[in-house]
Amino acid sequence: MKEPVRITVTGAAGQIGYAMLFRIASGEMLGIDQPVVLQLLEIPPAMDALRGVVMELQDCAFPLVRGVVPTSKPEEAFEGADFVLLVGARPRGPGMERKDLLEANGAIFTGQGKAINDYASRSVKVLVVGNPANTNCLIALQNAKDLQPDQFTSMTILDHNRAIALLAEQTGMHVAKVRNLAVWGNHSATMFPELLSATVGGKPALELIEFDWYRDKFIPSIQQRGAEIIRARGSSSAASAANAAIEHMRLWSLGSDSVTSMGIVSRGDYDITEGIVYSFPVSCEAGKIEIDRSRSLDDFCVERLQVTERELLEERDAIKHLL
Ligand code: NAD
Ligand code: LMR
């Protein structure tokens, strides 16, 4: 057995937290040979609910769980953390865009970025789920001055998986046959799910579907899927979001065998402004995330990459005071 690792989950009594913790505890995130200590952060009014979650964790008698620390103190929650999942934040309601949450949620990531800087392991890997995830990630990493920006990521694997599922359905193929698609930019209504390089069963995706369907149905459906779920459920996606967060951390730590999508700090690849947190096609090996730099993009793609980049620059301007 390996030494236990410390995993911090914020917003642990919320919907995503509840859908996530039991799967992390059972080994789905880091493997069934990896013991874990769960450090669970909540705000004081949610501590009763969190105590209930902790009782349920205890009642599962998970062999991999070597400790559970429920707390409302960031310094306890982030102490020695090897993996941090920043979920705790307000979700949007019907009719809102995710960036409408910046004011309510942005400040959370200033304090938590600082606390991660001060208390977490020097090799910590951080995933931001709370919306607007890209810009909250930017706030967190800018407030963690002693850590590297590439230790901070934001979640777009949920969008990536939505795109795989929709393309598989349209082509009548199994999801495992879809390879190499990518979600670019912001986790918002401007994100760009790109199929130019994607294949289904080894054939170029764009030879299997009508371009009009791609432009007029596929792209908007992925961009609006979160809102569609809110309309149907009355609250935002939780189980699929938890699933994506677990997959993100698993691929980052244990490696990926195909291209996926993650929000990472731009270093100027594909002419995207340096420093913003932007979703790129990536693969992972030995704990490192590498951008797929091999894509040739046409004007249709480049235009869309720029639209979502502009939105991220506007979001960055709106929270300048938090950086
Ligand atoms: P929720 O309201 O059910 O749970 C959020 C929890 O966070 C609550 O228990 C709340 O008490 C807690 N919280 C609030 N402020 C906190 C703080 N400062 N520190 C610690 N905990 C805090 O919401 P949810 O459905 O679990 O969603 C959480 C966030 O994830 C939302 O912002 C939502 O929009 C976002 N989300 C992102 C994606 C994505 O793909 N990136 C997908 C789904 C949801
Ligand atoms: C999602 O994509 O499901 C989440 O970001 C929740 C939302 O606000 O859409």
Side-chain angles (χ1 to χ4, degrees), residues 16 90-93 96-98 101 129-133 155 158-159 162 187-188 191 222-230 235-238 240-241:
I16 297 176
R90 229 183 94 187
R92 66 173 163 156
M96 292 171 77
E97 287 299 330
R98 297 180 187 94
L101 294 167
V129 175
N131 277 320
M155 191 164 95
L158 177 55
D159 310 296
R162 288 168 171 166
H187 174 62
S188 76
M191 77 179 83
I222 303 306
Q223 291 173 330
Q224 294 298 333
R225 183 65 161 186
E228 196 187 345
I229 289 172
I230 292 171
S235 54
S236 60
S237 64
S240 55

Side-chain angles (χ1 to χ4, degrees), residues 171-232:
T171 53
M173 301 285 271
H174 190 272
V175 286
K177 299 280 183 196
V178 177
R179 313 290 280 187
N180 221 27
L181 64 71
V183 173
W184 298 81
N186 201 2
H187 174 62
S188 76
T190 66
M191 77 179 83
F192 175 45
E194 177 242 313
L195 295 184
L196 189 58
S197 311
T199 58
V200 187
K203 296 204 179 93
L206 291 180
E207 287 178 12
L208 300 173
I209 54 171
E210 296 292 330
F211 189 79
D212 286 359
W213 179 82
Y214 170 43
R215 186 191 52 213
D216 301 337
K217 288 274 185 307
F218 178 80
I219 295 174
S221 298
I222 303 306
Q223 291 173 330
Q224 294 298 333
R225 183 65 161 186
E228 196 187 345
I229 289 172
I230 292 171
R231 274 196 301 278

Side-chain angles (χ1 to χ4, degrees), residues 118-199:
D118 292 347
Y119 299 103
S121 154
R122 295 304 81 188
S123 58
V124 65
K125 288 179 164 55
V126 181
L127 167 63
V128 177
V129 175
N131 277 320
N134 299 56
T135 297
N136 287 338
C137 182
L138 177 68
I139 296 170
L141 73 90
Q142 290 265 350
N143 281 281
K145 298 288 181 205
D146 304 327
L147 298 172
Q148 297 302 314
D150 62 8
Q151 292 177 258
F152 290 76
T153 59
S154 71
M155 191 164 95
T156 48
I157 286 194
L158 177 55
D159 310 296
H160 186 97
N161 288 343
R162 288 168 171 166
I164 288 179
L166 185 54
L167 181 60
E169 183 185 59
Q170 181 71 10
T171 53
M173 301 285 271
H174 190 272
V175 286
K177 299 280 183 196
V178 177
R179 313 290 280 187
N180 221 27
L181 64 71
V183 173
W184 298 81
N186 201 2
H187 174 62
S188 76
T190 66
M191 77 179 83
F192 175 45
E194 177 242 313
L195 295 184
L196 189 58
S197 311
T199 58

